[in-house]
């Protein structure tokens, strides 16, 4: 019990790059890694003043350093640039969290080809490009953690989400290959598969249901959850964030290539 403070800063001095971290789940992970003692590299879109405020807030958590990089992760050169910038600023990239994601909902017959391409670029290809850029440094230093934020929909299908489901399934495949390639080192790669988290992406789907059904938001959210998530409650961003931090600790050093659901029982059905 006397080591509680040490446990809270178990990643002291490490540097974590988290894509898509200016809001929602990504921001929750940025905060959790900062509280664990990490320097944090924020990434995402948003108002410049608001992002600067977030950066200062992250810096205030346990006195950690923070950097913002505006990489558009749909572009391979930007994926490399964020790793290079983080390495130059903090000396290393020890932890890479591939979190950035976008969504579009439509039947396959009417699914726009450009939407398919952009979803695969952000949700899948970006993780390949950032991993490719980060791995050499991790190998050189003999330690690293790569965490891919997949989804329960990387494990099961859902109608009208062909690109998202395909990308998230692919991300689990990439996770397994990466894990096998680094298995003899002190580097691990794992995927976290959240169920429904009340992010702006999920909120937009519920708002669409409100518009079509006339239900209030709370009722529409309950109906939304009832279809898939037996807990009937949203997975909390802070719980996903704590799982990500755990995967970077000593107790998780033999967890490699796993796809870990945190889904309120969704995949138990």
């Amino acid at each position: 019990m006397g080591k509680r403070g040490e446990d809270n800063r178990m990643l002291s001095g490490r540097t974590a790059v988290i894509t898509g971290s200016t809001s929602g789940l990504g921001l929750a992970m940025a905060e959790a890694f900062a509280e664990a003692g990490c320097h944090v590299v924020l990434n995402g879109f948003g108002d410049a003043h608001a992002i600067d405020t977030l950066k200062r807030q992250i810096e205030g958590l346990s006195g950690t350093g923070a950097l913002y990089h505006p990489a558009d992760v749909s572009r391979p050169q930007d994926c490399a640039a964020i790793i290079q910038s983080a390495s130059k600023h903090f000396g290393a990239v020890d932890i890479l969290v591939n979190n950035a994601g976008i969504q579009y909902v439509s039947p396959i017959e009417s699914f726009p080809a450009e939407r398919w391409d952009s979803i695969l670029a952000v949700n899948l290809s970006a993780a390949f490009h950032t991993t490719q850029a980060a791995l050499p440094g991790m190998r050189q230093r003999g330690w690293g953690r790569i965490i891919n934020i997949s989804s329960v929909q990387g494990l099961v299908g859902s109608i009208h989400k062909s690109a998202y489901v395909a990308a998230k399934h692919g991300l689990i495949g990439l996770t397994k290959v990466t894990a096998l390639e680094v298995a003899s080192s002190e580097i691990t790669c794992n995927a976290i598969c959240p169920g429904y988290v009340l992010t702006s992406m999920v909120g937009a789907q519920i708002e669409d249901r409100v518009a079509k059904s006339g239900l209030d938001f709370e009722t529409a959210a309950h109906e939304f959850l009832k279809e898939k998530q037996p807990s009937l409650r949203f997975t909390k961003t802070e719980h996903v964030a704590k799982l990500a931090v755990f995967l970077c600790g000593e107790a998780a050093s033999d967890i490699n290539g796993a796809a870990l659901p945190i889904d309120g029982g969704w995949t138990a059905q």
Side-chain angles (χ1 to χ4, degrees):
M1 296 295 290
K3 293 187 177 181
R4 189 177 185 89
E6 292 178 23
D7 290 342
N8 287 343
R9 290 183 58 82
M10 67 178 186
L11 299 175
S12 182
R14 301 289 191 187
T15 296
V17 173
I18 306 161
T19 65
S21 51
T22 53
S23 64
L25 178 55
L27 179 57
M29 289 190 288
E31 292 170 345
F33 277 104
E35 289 171 348
C38 284
H39 304 300
V40 171
V41 180
L42 295 166
N43 161 255
F45 302 123
D47 174 74
H49 177 73
I51 289 171
D52 189 58
T53 299
L54 289 177
K55 179 176 171 290
R56 290 199 302 272
Q57 289 173 352
I58 295 296
E59 287 173 334
L61 293 170
S62 304
T64 56
L67 175 71
Y68 168 71
H69 195 286
D72 176 353
V73 296
S74 69
R75 298 158 51 93
Q77 60 269 40
D78 281 21
C79 293
I82 190 173
I83 301 300
Q84 292 166 359
S85 180
S87 298
K88 183 177 180 180
H89 192 84
F90 291 119
V93 172
D94 304 294
I95 298 162
L96 169 63
V97 182
N98 289 305
N99 170 72
I102 56 176
Q103 174 67 285
Y104 188 79
V105 179
S106 173
I108 290 173
E109 298 97 320
S110 55
F111 206 101
E114 64 274 13
R115 292 281 192 171
W116 170 275
D117 291 341
S118 61
I119 288 171
L120 263 67
V122 173
N123 295 18
L124 176 57
S125 296
F128 167 79
H129 294 300
T130 55
T131 297
Q132 187 178 58
L135 265 180
M138 291 179 178
R139 288 192 187 278
Q140 183 179 11
R141 291 183 299 278
W143 193 92
R145 296 289 184 267
I146 299 168
I147 300 171
N148 294 323
I149 305 302
S150 181
S151 165
V152 65
Q153 293 173 108
L155 300 168
V156 298
S158 290
I159 63 169
H160 300 164
K161 298 178 181 177
S162 55
Y164 188 84
V165 169
K168 293 301 189 179
H169 272 70
L171 193 55
I172 291 175
L174 176 63
T175 298
K176 292 177 179 180
V177 172
T178 305
L180 291 171
E181 292 191 8
V182 300
S184 61
S185 69
E186 293 299 319
I187 303 168
T188 66
C189 180
N190 292 290
I192 296 176
C193 301
Y196 283 138
V197 180
L198 192 52
T199 60
S200 58
M201 186 186 297
V202 170
Q205 294 177 59
I206 297 171
E207 291 288 1
D208 183 61
R209 183 171 294 218
V210 168
K212 291 177 179 176
S213 67
L215 297 171
D216 62 83
F217 186 89
E218 185 176 351
T219 303
H222 179 79
E223 293 298 313
F224 185 78
L225 286 166
K226 190 167 68 173
E227 292 175 4
K228 299 285 188 181
Q229 200 146 306
S231 64
L232 299 180
R233 61 180 181 270
F234 291 103
T235 301
K236 293 184 178 180
T237 56
E238 59 265 34
H239 292 173
V240 179
K242 287 178 180 179
L243 177 56
V245 171
F246 170 78
L247 287 173
C248 297
E250 179 64 26
S253 58
D254 285 320
I255 301 176
N256 195 20
L260 302 170
I262 178 167
D263 64 2
W266 184 333
T267 50
Q269 299 175 101

